[in-house]
Amino acid sequence: QKEVEQNSGPLSVPEGAIASLNCTYSDRVSQSFFWYRQYSGKSPELIMSIYSNGDKEDGRFTAQLNKASQYVSLLIRDSQPSDSATYLCAVKRGNEKLTFGTGTRLTIIP
Amino acid sequence: DAGVIQSPRHEVTEMGQEVTLRCKPISGHNSLFWYRQTMMRGLELLIYFNNNVPIDDSGMPEDRFSAKMPNASFSTLKIQPSEPRDSAVYFCASSFQGKPPPRQYFGPGTRLTVT
């Protein structure tokens, strides 16, 4: 079992709809959770971080964490073509080491 | 702020040659990370340093790979000898440990092709 698992996609969502990205992790002692966005040919950039159970909202983005079920999700409301990218889920335990999933490729269809 | 700087941006070399990738972290950051990204394996951590000291090198694939951080503003990742399976994009990232959130800033990457 991989430490961090994501559906590789591609996930296609119509413009203006809600895009839902999911991630599961295997290590129960994981403490911090991150979503990175990576455009084709570019480097990953952090868009959301979440540390406690529940929802965290930032603009059109909402991160959801459920430690009991060991999953974290990212919702993108009012999806725009500029949201088309690969989204990487990352998990951190006590030290600084991040473990990344392989990413979900999202395409927003105009 | 110039961000994390990596060089070269692209490297094409022949199997058996030595390859050196370079990274300059963001000024003031005290942690530095080297990652490798491939389609098959995704983004993998190779090694990370804190205050110039290697903390975790468990991701370094084999003895052909070595990394150094002689000072707070410079790090190298060396592959000797290189092999075709080393072809990937290598990212360097830096962060400031102790200042939450522990955000890592990635450089633009070096695309390595070994023929």
Short mmCIF file of all heavy atoms in Angstrom, two decimals, chain A residues 35-79:
data_model
loop_
_atom_site.label_atom_id
_atom_site.label_comp_id
_atom_site.label_asym_id
_atom_site.label_seq_id
_atom_site.Cartn_x
_atom_site.Cartn_y
_atom_site.Cartn_z
N TRP A 35 -2.08 20.49 -0.09
CA TRP A 35 -2.40 20.36 -1.51
C TRP A 35 -1.50 21.30 -2.30
O TRP A 35 -1.45 22.50 -2.01
CB TRP A 35 -3.87 20.67 -1.77
CG TRP A 35 -4.80 19.58 -1.35
CD1 TRP A 35 -5.53 19.50 -0.20
CD2 TRP A 35 -5.10 18.39 -2.09
NE1 TRP A 35 -6.26 18.34 -0.19
CE2 TRP A 35 -6.02 17.64 -1.32
CE3 TRP A 35 -4.69 17.87 -3.33
CZ2 TRP A 35 -6.54 16.41 -1.75
CZ3 TRP A 35 -5.20 16.66 -3.74
CH2 TRP A 35 -6.11 15.94 -2.97
N TYR A 36 -0.82 20.72 -3.28
CA TYR A 36 0.02 21.49 -4.19
C TYR A 36 -0.60 21.41 -5.58
O TYR A 36 -1.15 20.38 -5.99
CB TYR A 36 1.44 20.91 -4.25
CG TYR A 36 2.33 21.29 -3.09
CD1 TYR A 36 2.19 20.66 -1.85
CD2 TYR A 36 3.31 22.26 -3.22
CE1 TYR A 36 3.02 21.01 -0.78
CE2 TYR A 36 4.14 22.60 -2.17
CZ TYR A 36 3.99 21.98 -0.96
OH TYR A 36 4.81 22.32 0.09
N ARG A 37 -0.48 22.50 -6.30
CA ARG A 37 -0.92 22.56 -7.71
C ARG A 37 0.33 22.61 -8.58
O ARG A 37 1.27 23.36 -8.30
CB ARG A 37 -1.78 23.79 -7.94
CG ARG A 37 -2.25 23.98 -9.37
CD ARG A 37 -3.18 25.20 -9.46
NE ARG A 37 -2.47 26.42 -9.07
CZ ARG A 37 -3.07 27.54 -8.72
NH1 ARG A 37 -4.39 27.60 -8.68
NH2 ARG A 37 -2.37 28.62 -8.41
N GLN A 38 0.32 21.83 -9.65
CA GLN A 38 1.47 21.82 -10.57
C GLN A 38 0.96 21.93 -12.00
O GLN A 38 0.32 21.02 -12.52
CB GLN A 38 2.30 20.55 -10.40
CG GLN A 38 3.58 20.55 -11.21
CD GLN A 38 4.46 19.34 -10.94
OE1 GLN A 38 3.99 18.29 -10.49
NE2 GLN A 38 5.76 19.47 -11.19
N TYR A 39 1.27 23.06 -12.63
CA TYR A 39 0.97 23.21 -14.03
C TYR A 39 2.01 22.44 -14.85
O TYR A 39 3.14 22.23 -14.40
CB TYR A 39 0.97 24.69 -14.43
CG TYR A 39 -0.14 25.50 -13.84
CD1 TYR A 39 0.10 26.52 -12.92
CD2 TYR A 39 -1.46 25.25 -14.20
CE1 TYR A 39 -0.92 27.26 -12.38
CE2 TYR A 39 -2.50 26.00 -13.66
CZ TYR A 39 -2.23 26.99 -12.75
OH TYR A 39 -3.26 27.73 -12.21
N SER A 40 1.62 22.05 -16.04
CA SER A 40 2.50 21.26 -16.90
C SER A 40 3.82 21.98 -17.14
O SER A 40 3.83 23.14 -17.55
CB SER A 40 1.80 20.97 -18.23
OG SER A 40 2.63 20.21 -19.08
N GLY A 41 4.91 21.30 -16.85
CA GLY A 41 6.22 21.87 -17.07
C GLY A 41 6.68 22.84 -16.00
O GLY A 41 7.74 23.46 -16.13
N LYS A 42 5.90 23.00 -14.95
CA LYS A 42 6.24 23.93 -13.88
C LYS A 42 6.47 23.19 -12.57
O LYS A 42 6.32 21.98 -12.49
CB LYS A 42 5.10 24.96 -13.70
CG LYS A 42 4.78 25.75 -14.95
CD LYS A 42 5.96 26.62 -15.36
CE LYS A 42 5.59 27.50 -16.56
NZ LYS A 42 6.76 28.32 -17.00
N SER A 43 6.85 23.93 -11.55
CA SER A 43 7.11 23.32 -10.25
C SER A 43 5.84 23.36 -9.39
O SER A 43 4.94 24.16 -9.62
CB SER A 43 8.25 24.05 -9.56
OG SER A 43 7.98 25.43 -9.44
N PRO A 44 5.76 22.49 -8.39
CA PRO A 44 4.59 22.50 -7.50
C PRO A 44 4.53 23.79 -6.68
O PRO A 44 5.56 24.33 -6.27
CB PRO A 44 4.85 21.29 -6.59
CG PRO A 44 5.84 20.44 -7.32
CD PRO A 44 6.69 21.38 -8.09
N GLU A 45 3.31 24.24 -6.43
CA GLU A 45 3.11 25.40 -5.56
C GLU A 45 2.02 25.07 -4.56
O GLU A 45 1.00 24.47 -4.90
CB GLU A 45 2.74 26.65 -6.37
CG GLU A 45 1.50 26.51 -7.20
CD GLU A 45 1.09 27.80 -7.91
OE1 GLU A 45 1.33 28.89 -7.35
OE2 GLU A 45 0.53 27.71 -9.01
N LEU A 46 2.24 25.47 -3.32
CA LEU A 46 1.30 25.18 -2.26
C LEU A 46 0.04 26.03 -2.41
O LEU A 46 0.11 27.24 -2.57
CB LEU A 46 1.94 25.46 -0.90
CG LEU A 46 1.08 25.19 0.32
CD1 LEU A 46 0.82 23.70 0.47
CD2 LEU A 46 1.75 25.74 1.58
N ILE A 47 -1.13 25.38 -2.34
CA ILE A 47 -2.38 26.13 -2.38
C ILE A 47 -3.19 26.00 -1.10
O ILE A 47 -3.97 26.90 -0.78
CB ILE A 47 -3.24 25.74 -3.61
CG1 ILE A 47 -3.52 24.24 -3.66
CG2 ILE A 47 -2.59 26.20 -4.90
CD1 ILE A 47 -4.53 23.85 -4.72
N MET A 48 -3.06 24.89 -0.38
CA MET A 48 -3.82 24.71 0.85
C MET A 48 -3.04 23.84 1.83
O MET A 48 -2.34 22.92 1.42
CB MET A 48 -5.17 24.03 0.59
CG MET A 48 -6.20 24.89 -0.12
SD MET A 48 -6.86 26.20 0.93
CE MET A 48 -7.90 25.26 2.04
N SER A 49 -3.20 24.15 3.10
CA SER A 49 -2.68 23.28 4.15
C SER A 49 -3.78 23.11 5.20
O SER A 49 -4.59 24.01 5.40
CB SER A 49 -1.43 23.88 4.80
OG SER A 49 -1.70 25.16 5.33
N ILE A 50 -3.82 21.95 5.84
CA ILE A 50 -4.83 21.70 6.86
C ILE A 50 -4.23 20.80 7.91
O ILE A 50 -3.47 19.87 7.59
CB ILE A 50 -6.12 21.11 6.23
CG1 ILE A 50 -7.24 21.00 7.28
CG2 ILE A 50 -5.85 19.78 5.55
CD1 ILE A 50 -8.62 20.74 6.66
N TYR A 51 -4.57 21.06 9.18
CA TYR A 51 -3.93 20.33 10.27
C TYR A 51 -4.92 19.65 11.20
O TYR A 51 -4.55 18.73 11.94
CB TYR A 51 -3.06 21.29 11.10
CG TYR A 51 -2.09 22.08 10.26
CD1 TYR A 51 -2.32 23.42 9.96
CD2 TYR A 51 -0.94 21.49 9.75
CE1 TYR A 51 -1.43 24.14 9.18
CE2 TYR A 51 -0.05 22.20 8.97
CZ TYR A 51 -0.31 23.53 8.69
OH TYR A 51 0.57 24.25 7.91
N SER A 52 -6.17 20.08 11.21
CA SER A 52 -7.15 19.51 12.13
C SER A 52 -8.38 19.05 11.35
O SER A 52 -8.65 19.53 10.24
CB SER A 52 -7.53 20.52 13.21
OG SER A 52 -7.99 21.71 12.62
N ASN A 53 -9.13 18.14 11.95
CA ASN A 53 -10.33 17.62 11.31
C ASN A 53 -11.31 18.74 10.96
O ASN A 53 -11.44 19.72 11.69
CB ASN A 53 -11.03 16.62 12.24
CG ASN A 53 -10.37 15.26 12.21
OD1 ASN A 53 -9.82 14.83 11.19
ND2 ASN A 53 -10.40 14.58 13.35
N GLY A 54 -11.99 18.54 9.84
CA GLY A 54 -12.98 19.51 9.44
C GLY A 54 -12.64 20.16 8.12
O GLY A 54 -11.89 19.61 7.33
N ASP A 55 -13.23 21.31 7.90
CA ASP A 55 -13.06 22.03 6.64
C ASP A 55 -12.24 23.30 6.86
O ASP A 55 -12.30 23.94 7.91
CB ASP A 55 -14.43 22.44 6.08
CG ASP A 55 -15.27 21.24 5.67
OD1 ASP A 55 -14.80 20.11 5.82
OD2 ASP A 55 -16.40 21.45 5.21
N LYS A 56 -11.48 23.64 5.83
CA LYS A 56 -10.75 24.90 5.81
C LYS A 56 -10.96 25.54 4.45
O LYS A 56 -10.70 24.92 3.43
CB LYS A 56 -9.26 24.68 6.07
CG LYS A 56 -8.44 25.97 6.05
CD LYS A 56 -6.96 25.67 6.26
CE LYS A 56 -6.12 26.93 6.17
NZ LYS A 56 -4.68 26.64 6.33
N GLU A 57 -11.45 26.77 4.46
CA GLU A 57 -11.79 27.44 3.21
C GLU A 57 -10.83 28.58 2.92
O GLU A 57 -10.42 29.32 3.81
CB GLU A 57 -13.23 27.97 3.29
CG GLU A 57 -13.78 28.54 2.00
CD GLU A 57 -15.24 28.92 2.12
OE1 GLU A 57 -16.01 28.13 2.70
OE2 GLU A 57 -15.61 30.00 1.64
N ASP A 58 -10.48 28.71 1.66
CA ASP A 58 -9.65 29.83 1.21
C ASP A 58 -10.08 30.19 -0.20
O ASP A 58 -9.70 29.52 -1.16
CB ASP A 58 -8.17 29.45 1.24
CG ASP A 58 -7.26 30.61 0.87
OD1 ASP A 58 -7.77 31.72 0.59
OD2 ASP A 58 -6.03 30.43 0.86
N GLY A 59 -10.92 31.22 -0.29
CA GLY A 59 -11.43 31.61 -1.61
C GLY A 59 -12.28 30.51 -2.21
O GLY A 59 -13.22 30.02 -1.57
N ARG A 60 -11.95 30.10 -3.43
CA ARG A 60 -12.73 29.04 -4.08
C ARG A 60 -12.31 27.65 -3.65
O ARG A 60 -12.92 26.65 -4.06
CB ARG A 60 -12.57 29.17 -5.60
CG ARG A 60 -13.14 30.45 -6.18
CD ARG A 60 -13.09 30.47 -7.71
NE ARG A 60 -11.73 30.42 -8.24
CZ ARG A 60 -11.22 29.37 -8.87
NH1 ARG A 60 -11.92 28.26 -9.05
NH2 ARG A 60 -9.98 29.42 -9.34
N PHE A 61 -11.28 27.55 -2.81
CA PHE A 61 -10.75 26.26 -2.39
C PHE A 61 -11.21 25.90 -0.98
O PHE A 61 -11.23 26.76 -0.09
CB PHE A 61 -9.21 26.27 -2.42
CG PHE A 61 -8.62 26.51 -3.79
CD1 PHE A 61 -8.23 27.78 -4.16
CD2 PHE A 61 -8.48 25.48 -4.68
CE1 PHE A 61 -7.68 28.01 -5.43
CE2 PHE A 61 -7.93 25.69 -5.95
CZ PHE A 61 -7.53 26.96 -6.32
N THR A 62 -11.58 24.64 -0.80
CA THR A 62 -11.88 24.10 0.53
C THR A 62 -11.15 22.78 0.71
O THR A 62 -11.30 21.88 -0.13
CB THR A 62 -13.40 23.87 0.71
OG1 THR A 62 -14.09 25.11 0.59
CG2 THR A 62 -13.69 23.27 2.09
N ALA A 63 -10.37 22.69 1.76
CA ALA A 63 -9.72 21.43 2.12
C ALA A 63 -10.53 20.78 3.23
O ALA A 63 -11.01 21.46 4.14
CB ALA A 63 -8.29 21.66 2.56
N GLN A 64 -10.68 19.47 3.14
CA GLN A 64 -11.42 18.72 4.15
C GLN A 64 -10.53 17.60 4.67
O GLN A 64 -9.89 16.90 3.88
CB GLN A 64 -12.70 18.12 3.54
CG GLN A 64 -13.66 19.16 3.00
CD GLN A 64 -14.85 18.52 2.28
OE1 GLN A 64 -14.69 17.57 1.53
NE2 GLN A 64 -16.04 19.07 2.52
N LEU A 65 -10.51 17.43 6.00
CA LEU A 65 -9.67 16.41 6.62
C LEU A 65 -10.50 15.54 7.54
O LEU A 65 -11.27 16.06 8.36
CB LEU A 65 -8.53 17.06 7.40
CG LEU A 65 -7.63 16.13 8.21
CD1 LEU A 65 -6.91 15.13 7.32
CD2 LEU A 65 -6.63 16.94 9.03
N ASN A 66 -10.32 14.24 7.41
CA ASN A 66 -10.97 13.27 8.28
C ASN A 66 -9.90 12.28 8.72
O ASN A 66 -9.55 11.35 7.99
CB ASN A 66 -12.10 12.55 7.56
CG ASN A 66 -12.87 11.60 8.46
OD1 ASN A 66 -12.29 10.94 9.32
ND2 ASN A 66 -14.18 11.53 8.28
N LYS A 67 -9.33 12.50 9.90
CA LYS A 67 -8.23 11.67 10.36
C LYS A 67 -8.68 10.26 10.70
O LYS A 67 -7.93 9.30 10.54
CB LYS A 67 -7.55 12.31 11.56
CG LYS A 67 -6.75 13.56 11.21
CD LYS A 67 -5.97 14.07 12.41
CE LYS A 67 -5.12 15.28 12.05
NZ LYS A 67 -4.32 15.76 13.20
N ALA A 68 -9.90 10.10 11.17
CA ALA A 68 -10.39 8.76 11.51
C ALA A 68 -10.45 7.87 10.27
O ALA A 68 -10.13 6.68 10.33
CB ALA A 68 -11.77 8.86 12.17
N SER A 69 -10.85 8.46 9.16
CA SER A 69 -10.93 7.71 7.91
C SER A 69 -9.68 7.84 7.07
O SER A 69 -9.58 7.23 6.00
CB SER A 69 -12.14 8.19 7.10
OG SER A 69 -13.34 8.00 7.82
N GLN A 70 -8.75 8.66 7.52
CA GLN A 70 -7.46 8.85 6.86
C GLN A 70 -7.63 9.33 5.42
O GLN A 70 -7.05 8.76 4.48
CB GLN A 70 -6.62 7.56 6.93
CG GLN A 70 -6.24 7.22 8.36
CD GLN A 70 -5.49 5.91 8.47
OE1 GLN A 70 -5.91 5.00 9.18
NE2 GLN A 70 -4.38 5.79 7.79
N TYR A 71 -8.45 10.36 5.27
CA TYR A 71 -8.54 10.95 3.95
C TYR A 71 -8.57 12.46 4.05
O TYR A 71 -8.99 13.04 5.05
CB TYR A 71 -9.73 10.41 3.16
CG TYR A 71 -11.05 11.12 3.40
CD1 TYR A 71 -11.34 12.34 2.80
CD2 TYR A 71 -12.02 10.54 4.22
CE1 TYR A 71 -12.54 12.98 3.02
CE2 TYR A 71 -13.22 11.18 4.43
CZ TYR A 71 -13.48 12.39 3.83
OH TYR A 71 -14.66 13.02 4.06
N VAL A 72 -8.11 13.05 2.98
CA VAL A 72 -8.13 14.50 2.85
C VAL A 72 -8.60 14.81 1.43
O VAL A 72 -8.25 14.08 0.49
CB VAL A 72 -6.75 15.11 3.16
CG1 VAL A 72 -5.67 14.54 2.27
CG2 VAL A 72 -6.79 16.62 3.07
N SER A 73 -9.42 15.84 1.29
CA SER A 73 -9.96 16.18 -0.01
C SER A 73 -9.80 17.67 -0.28
O SER A 73 -9.59 18.47 0.63
CB SER A 73 -11.41 15.75 -0.13
OG SER A 73 -12.19 16.45 0.82
N LEU A 74 -9.91 18.00 -1.54
CA LEU A 74 -9.84 19.39 -1.98
C LEU A 74 -11.02 19.64 -2.89
O LEU A 74 -11.22 18.90 -3.87
CB LEU A 74 -8.54 19.68 -2.73
CG LEU A 74 -8.38 21.10 -3.26
CD1 LEU A 74 -8.19 22.09 -2.10
CD2 LEU A 74 -7.20 21.20 -4.23
N LEU A 75 -11.81 20.66 -2.56
CA LEU A 75 -12.92 21.08 -3.41
C LEU A 75 -12.57 22.41 -4.05
O LEU A 75 -12.07 23.32 -3.38
CB LEU A 75 -14.21 21.23 -2.59
CG LEU A 75 -14.70 19.99 -1.85
CD1 LEU A 75 -15.96 20.33 -1.04
CD2 LEU A 75 -14.98 18.86 -2.81
N ILE A 76 -12.84 22.51 -5.34
CA ILE A 76 -12.63 23.76 -6.06
C ILE A 76 -13.99 24.20 -6.59
O ILE A 76 -14.57 23.53 -7.46
CB ILE A 76 -11.63 23.60 -7.22
CG1 ILE A 76 -10.32 22.98 -6.72
CG2 ILE A 76 -11.36 24.95 -7.88
CD1 ILE A 76 -9.32 22.67 -7.84
N ARG A 77 -14.50 25.30 -6.06
CA ARG A 77 -15.81 25.80 -6.50
C ARG A 77 -15.63 26.71 -7.71
O ARG A 77 -14.58 27.32 -7.91
CB ARG A 77 -16.48 26.57 -5.37
CG ARG A 77 -16.92 25.70 -4.21
CD ARG A 77 -17.61 26.56 -3.13
NE ARG A 77 -16.71 27.58 -2.62
CZ ARG A 77 -15.78 27.36 -1.72
NH1 ARG A 77 -15.60 26.14 -1.24
NH2 ARG A 77 -15.00 28.33 -1.30
N ASP A 78 -16.71 26.82 -8.49
CA ASP A 78 -16.69 27.70 -9.66
C ASP A 78 -15.42 27.47 -10.48
O ASP A 78 -14.64 28.40 -10.73
CB ASP A 78 -16.79 29.17 -9.21
CG ASP A 78 -16.97 30.12 -10.38
OD1 ASP A 78 -17.46 29.68 -11.44
OD2 ASP A 78 -16.60 31.31 -10.22
N SER A 79 -15.21 26.24 -10.88
CA SER A 79 -13.97 25.86 -11.57
C SER A 79 -13.73 26.71 -12.81
O SER A 79 -14.66 27.01 -13.57
CB SER A 79 -14.05 24.39 -11.99
OG SER A 79 -14.16 23.55 -10.86
#
